[in-house]
Amino acid sequence: LPDVDGTGAFTVVNFTAGPIVVGGAMTVTVEFQPQAEGMVMSHLLVKSTDSDEPEVTVQLLGEGVNLPPCSFD
């Protein structure tokens, strides 16, 4: 699942949609692989059948860093 804003920097991995019982939780892993140096902001949209909050938006923020080449002996 890509991020809502389409930056290409954030991806939800290993996610299987399913019900969450009242008081329960679900772990969602988001990978950050920036395309360029600098700050990247996007959003993750969580949809539910909850009539009070059918959608929850989670802000995603990361910083791409241009690292120098490295070598191993």
Side-chain angles (χ1 to χ4, degrees), residues 3-7 10 40-44 57-62:
D3 59 288
V4 173
D5 298 331
T7 66
F10 299 96
V40 181
M41 184 175 74
S42 189
H43 298 88
L44 173 67
T57 302
V58 179
Q59 184 179 38
L60 304 173
L61 184 63

Side-chain angles (χ1 to χ4, degrees), residues 10-69:
F10 299 96
T11 305
V12 176
V13 295
N14 299 330
F15 175 73
T16 303
I20 303 172
V21 298
V22 174
M26 179 179 284
T27 300
V28 176
T29 302
V30 177
E31 286 185 352
F32 178 61
Q33 296 181 347
Q35 308 297 314
E37 191 173 356
M39 296 300 293
V40 181
M41 184 175 74
S42 189
H43 298 88
L44 173 67
L45 181 63
V46 180
K47 295 183 178 186
S48 91
T49 58
D50 183 343
S51 59
D52 291 339
E53 293 183 275
E55 294 183 345
V56 175
T57 302
V58 179
Q59 184 179 38
L60 304 173
L61 184 63
E63 182 176 2
V65 179
N66 188 10
L67 298 174

